[in-house]
Amino acid sequence: MRVAAASYAATVAGVRAVIAAYAQAVDDGRHGDIAAMFCEDGSVDLPAAGVVAGREALYALFRGGPPPSLSRHVVTSIHVTRWSADHAEAISDLVVVGRGDGAPWGIRSVGRYIDLLHCRDGGWRFHSRTLRFADDA
């Protein structure tokens, strides 16, 4: 029983680490780092872009994002729903705060990620990442 708990704890720690690293890379505009957090055939499904697959396409997608420092992606309530040594599924909540030219920080959107991740080459990577905003139908 103790081995399973340790494996679960290691999986959760790895999943949380890649989710946090992704949010910070998006906020910092580190497009290459974002793409590297996905499996070679990984995909993202975003409301504004649809499904985008493959590291090169992901790099191009994120390169067109907002400038660094104008937003922060706050990811919370990370729940690993299924897991094994090399596979995990997780659901997490997202709050995006941002600011405009001289405007104060404020909530821009609220959403939920649904992630499928694989442990490859000693680290966790997204196989698929789906984002739905709270006001999406």
Side-chain angles (χ1 to χ4, degrees):
M1 188 67 143
R2 206 149 159 77
V3 172
S7 295
Y8 177 75
T11 298
V12 169
V15 167
R16 286 183 176 172
V18 75
I19 289 172
Y22 173 93
Q24 291 178 357
V26 168
D27 292 340
D28 295 343
R30 292 183 282 118
H31 313 114
D33 291 349
I34 298 165
M37 290 179 208
F38 285 82
C39 299
E40 281 293 333
D41 62 344
S43 66
V44 67
D45 182 356
L46 301 174
V51 177
V52 176
R55 282 191 183 154
E56 287 183 31
L58 290 165
Y59 176 82
L61 170 70
F62 289 107
R63 189 180 63 227
S69 81
L70 295 180
S71 67
R72 290 291 182 263
H73 292 70
V74 181
V75 183
T76 187
S77 303
I78 300 169
H79 178 58
V80 176
T81 57
R82 301 180 89 167
W83 64 278
S84 69
D86 60 357
H87 169 93
E89 294 177 23
I91 298 172
S92 53
D93 292 325
L94 169 70
V95 175
V96 180
V97 295
R99 62 181 173 90
D101 296 328
W105 288 88
I107 294 175
R108 302 286 189 223
S109 57
V110 175
R112 180 164 283 166
Y113 283 113
I114 300 169
D115 298 318
L116 173 61
L117 305 101
H118 295 290
C119 190
R120 302 271 161 78
D121 303 323
W124 286 93
R125 289 188 171 76
F126 296 105
H127 182 74
S128 65
R129 179 150 239 226
T130 301
L131 173 62
R132 293 295 175 256
F133 291 111
D135 54 354
D136 289 347

